[in-house]
């Protein structure tokens, strides 16, 4: 037997480290919770029969929202709630971010990295007023370590330039 296998409740299971779960590849990094909550995507990969919106109209609407400064996840939420488009890829054949890249409207910084930078800037602003807030200082360290980890990943997959660096002093300029 492999040294990672063990017998549990009469079945052979593969014992993995606690930070990896086969069901949920993304887990919470700096907490004890597993973060298994996920949304259910539609089973069918074809647009519903009652949907009368064309591909060109959906792409135009995505571009219009992106020009207003709406992030890709919010674009998808608005299309779902207002037009009944559960998944843009089923209608257009491309994901929202790919459509935005094709039209030159993709954000410079990926959305999750942008949200973490925004959180770090807000915590820093809070710490200027409340210098003795040790909990906020600790959370700032955690957020900034996540920023550096994600930045390393995005440089490796070439979504960020190799020269891009997060600096806390100039982070607020990235948000503007």
């Amino acid at each position: 037997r492999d040294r990672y296998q063990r017998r549990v409740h009469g079945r052979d299971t593969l014992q993995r480290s606690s930070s990896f779960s086969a069901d949920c590849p993304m887990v919470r990094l700096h907490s004890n919770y597993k973060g298994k909550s996920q949304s259910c995507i539609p089973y069918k990969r074809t647009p519903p029969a009652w949907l009368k919106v064309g591909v060109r109209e959906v792409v135009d609407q995505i571009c219009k929202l992106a020009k207003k400064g709406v992030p890709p996840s919010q674009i998808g939420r608005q299309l779902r709630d207002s037009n009944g488009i559960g998944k843009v890829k089923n209608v257009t054949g491309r994901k929202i971010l790919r459509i935005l890249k094709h039209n030159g409207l993709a954000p410079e910084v990926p959305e999750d990295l942008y949200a973490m930078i925004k959180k770090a800037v807000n915590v820093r602003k809070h710490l200027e007023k409340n210098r003795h807030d040790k909990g906020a200082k600790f959370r700032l360290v955690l957020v900034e370590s996540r920023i550096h980890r994600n930045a390393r990943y995005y440089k490796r997959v070439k979504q960020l330039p190799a020269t891009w660096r997060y600096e806390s002093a100039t982070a607020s300029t990235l948000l503007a």
Side-chain angles (χ1 to χ4, degrees), residues 98-165:
R98 297 241 170 107
I99 292 169
L100 293 178
K101 281 181 183 175
H102 185 264
N103 291 309
L105 297 169
E108 296 170 13
V109 178
E111 190 176 356
D112 58 343
L113 191 62
Y114 179 84
M116 283 188 265
I117 292 170
K118 190 173 178 182
K119 182 178 264 191
V121 167
N122 287 339
V123 171
R124 236 173 236 293
K125 197 182 298 182
H126 167 78
L127 281 172
E128 286 175 9
K129 296 175 191 167
N130 309 294
R131 291 180 185 211
H132 300 293
D133 189 351
K134 293 187 192 297
K137 285 181 188 176
F138 177 68
R139 296 294 166 209
L140 179 65
V141 170
L142 295 183
V143 169
E144 288 186 341
S145 72
R146 277 191 301 238
I147 290 170
H148 292 301
R149 177 186 290 233
N150 275 17
R152 212 169 40 236
Y153 165 75
Y154 285 124
K155 285 180 194 177
R156 191 173 69 236
V157 298
K158 296 185 175 35
Q159 284 192 6
L160 281 176
T163 57
W164 191 91
R165 284 183 61 83

Side-chain angles (χ1 to χ4, degrees), residues 59 73 96 142:
V59 171
S73 65
I96 294 174
L142 295 183

Side-chain angles (χ1 to χ4, degrees), residues 26-92:
M26 293 297 288
V27 294
R28 302 243 174 237
L29 190 60
H30 294 119
S31 71
N32 294 328
Y33 305 108
K34 296 291 189 276
K36 292 170 88 69
S37 172
Q38 297 174 344
S39 62
C40 294
I41 60 171
Y43 178 72
K44 287 184 176 179
R45 294 210 169 111
T46 57
W50 49 263
L51 190 65
K52 302 297 182 204
V53 183
V55 176
R56 191 72 235 157
E57 296 167 17
V58 174
V59 171
D60 289 341
Q61 197 166 4
I62 289 170
C63 293
K64 185 172 69 173
L65 289 169
K67 286 175 184 172
K68 287 183 184 176
V70 180
S73 65
Q74 298 302 316
I75 291 173
R77 189 181 54 78
Q78 278 188 332
L79 290 173
R80 183 198 67 206
D81 294 344
S82 62
N83 295 2
I85 300 170
K87 208 157 175 62
V88 171
K89 187 177 179 182
N90 294 347
V91 178
T92 62

